[in-house]
């Protein structure tokens, strides 16, 4: 019976996906000659060329395309077999690489990760933070297994599953009397500290003002939600932040917090490659993310007016 070496098949699939032997070597932590040798050995085993160079890109031949159609199913079958064996041992093990934004990482994931660690102590979870575009590209490139990101995100190669609605709030120094309603017109003339441009959170905020025909210039733009909150507490202005980031501040009175009018929210979604084999550890994390609790509204805290 002809037997395929799974390492050779993986090397071939990575070369085709990345279009480069050197890029595949980097992903597999091998030298480029080693990857080239694995692909040649696979071609020798099958008796046909699988990869050809088109310019600087490595492309699959017709035979390579046929093999590629089966490679994902072979990988899934192997993962299923390994998972079946793992169920006979104690607990879930392995490594899952998760990407997300800094705000979700700080304010949404700790309880979830603590629960997973208690239930599956042998499961290693690696967290990477960044903006939606960066994280989505890492999932597409298989550098991350899955991610929780702020929508919108679009990609033909990704499965996108919304799981969490997060309303935005306006925040001000404690005992500040915020305008009611907290409309774009009421907030546009206030000293605003906002997220730095480039991410979906800032884009949503700018669009909220733009729908009212306004384009306020923030007095500061920062990349850290904690830095924004500290500067607001120090009396340097007001801000608009995701509700999950200000729940405790609203409850403790550390900041004045009020919903926006009209309401503005961001939707967080799980993204994962459509062809991603789901081993047991990955399934456990996906299930936990799908059970994220709904974000409760923060209560308003009133006081003295927020002035420039």
């Amino acid at each position: 019976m002809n037997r395929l070496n799974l390492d050779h098949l993986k090397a071939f699939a990575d070369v085709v996906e990345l279009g480069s032997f050197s890029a595949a070597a980097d992903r597999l932590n091998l030298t480029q000659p080693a990857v080239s040798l694995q692909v040649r050995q696979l071609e020798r085993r099958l008796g046909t060329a699988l990869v050809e160079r088109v310019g600087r890109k490595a492309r699959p031949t017709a035979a390579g395309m046929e093999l590629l159609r089966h490679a994902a199913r072979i990988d899934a079958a192997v993962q299923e077999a390994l998972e079946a064996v793992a169920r006979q041992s104690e607990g879930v093990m392995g490594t899952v690489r998760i990407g997300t934004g800094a705000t979700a990482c700080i304010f949404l994931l700790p309880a979830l990760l603590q629960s997973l660690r208690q239930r599956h102590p042998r499961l290693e979870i690696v967290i990477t933070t960044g903006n939606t575009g960066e994280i989505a590209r890492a999932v597409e490139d298989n550098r991350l297994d899955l991610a929780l990101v702020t929508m919108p995100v679009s990609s033909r190669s990704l499965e996108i599953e919304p799981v969490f609605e997060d309303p935005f709030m306006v925040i001000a120094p404690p005992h500040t009397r915020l305008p009611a309603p907290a409309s774009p017109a009421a907030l546009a003339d206030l000293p605003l500290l906002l997220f730095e441009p480039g991410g979906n959170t800032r884009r949503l905020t700018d669009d909220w003002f733009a729908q009212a025909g306004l384009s306020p210039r923030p007095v500061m733009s920062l990349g850290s939600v904690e830095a924004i909150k500290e500067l607001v507490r120090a009396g340097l202005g007001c801000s608009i932040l995701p509700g999950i980031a200000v729940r405790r501040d609203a409850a403790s009175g550390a900041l004045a917090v009020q919903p926006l009018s009209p309401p503005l929210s961001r939707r967080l979604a799980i993204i994962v490659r459509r062809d991603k084999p789901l081993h047991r550890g990955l399934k456990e994390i996906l299930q936990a993310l799908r059970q994220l609790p709904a974000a409760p509204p923060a209560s308003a805290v009133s006081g003295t007016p927020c002035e420039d």
Side-chain angles (χ1 to χ4, degrees):
M1 183 178 78
N2 286 331
R3 292 182 177 86
L4 292 179
N5 184 300
L6 295 178
D7 290 336
H8 296 175
L9 189 61
K10 172 64 173 169
F12 160 71
D14 283 353
V15 168
V16 171
E17 178 189 342
L18 300 173
S20 164
F21 282 85
S22 58
D26 288 340
R27 174 182 288 182
L28 296 168
N29 292 317
L30 297 172
T31 64
Q32 182 175 336
V35 172
S36 298
L37 177 61
Q38 288 185 343
V39 173
R40 285 199 304 272
Q41 289 175 332
L42 182 60
E43 290 176 326
R44 193 176 300 121
R45 164 64 68 182
L46 296 175
T48 185
L50 300 172
V51 177
E52 60 186 358
R53 289 195 176 276
V54 179
R56 295 187 176 183
K57 288 285 188 179
R59 303 292 189 190
T61 63
M65 285 298 297
E66 282 296 328
L67 179 60
L68 203 60
R69 292 189 183 98
H70 295 278
R73 293 200 296 272
I74 293 170
D75 192 27
V78 171
Q79 290 294 338
E80 186 178 348
L82 294 175
E83 190 173 310
V85 173
R87 284 195 289 269
Q88 304 303 317
S89 61
E90 293 184 6
V92 176
M93 60 188 300
T95 301
V96 178
R97 304 161 298 171
I98 304 174
T100 191
T103 303
C105 184
I106 296 170
F107 299 103
L108 192 60
L109 294 187
L112 180 149
L113 296 175
Q114 181 186 39
S115 175
L116 283 168
R117 173 58 60 87
Q118 289 173 345
R119 289 184 285 121
H120 308 297
R122 300 172 69 190
L123 178 63
E124 180 184 3
I125 301 173
V126 179
I127 305 290
T128 298
T129 60
N131 64 40
T132 292
E134 296 168 341
I135 295 297
R137 285 190 293 274
V139 175
E140 287 177 319
D141 294 341
N142 210 33
R143 290 180 281 119
L144 294 173
D145 297 308
L146 79 160
L148 182 69
V149 297
T150 302
M151 293 183 71
V153 59
S154 61
S155 171
R156 293 180 180 179
S157 65
L158 298 179
E159 197 76 46
I160 302 167
E161 180 182 350
V163 291
F164 188 82
E165 196 80 21
D166 186 16
F168 281 84
M169 302 287 163
V170 58
I171 66 168
H175 311 299
T176 297
R177 187 169 65 249
L178 285 161
S183 65
L187 301 184
D189 292 331
L190 300 180
L192 292 173
L193 290 74
L194 299 179
F195 276 107
E196 60 189 8
N200 278 355
T201 298
R202 173 61 183 272
R203 191 175 299 113
L204 289 169
T205 305
D206 289 344
D207 288 347
W208 183 74
F209 280 109
Q211 287 174 8
L214 299 168
S215 181
R217 293 186 61 183
V219 295
M220 292 187 195
S221 296
L222 302 100
S224 163
V225 66
E226 286 296 337
I228 290 174
K229 291 201 298 182
E230 285 300 320
L231 292 174
V232 170
R233 267 193 285 266
L236 295 180
C238 304
S239 186
I240 296 173
L241 293 179
I244 58 171
V246 297
R247 288 178 185 172
R248 293 178 184 173
D249 304 280
S252 67
L255 288 169
V257 179
Q258 186 167 304
L260 298 176
S261 180
L264 173 67
S265 65
R266 64 175 188 159
R267 181 172 290 184
L268 301 185
I270 301 169
I271 59 173
V272 64
R273 282 177 58 116
R274 295 183 186 276
D275 60 355
K276 185 73 176 179
L278 301 181
H279 59 74
R280 191 177 175 195
L282 191 51
K283 287 180 179 177
E284 289 287 337
I285 291 177
L286 283 169
Q287 184 62 26
L289 289 172
R290 288 171 179 141
Q291 295 174 351
L292 283 171
S299 58
V301 181
S302 61
T304 58
C306 183
E307 299 176 348
D308 196 343

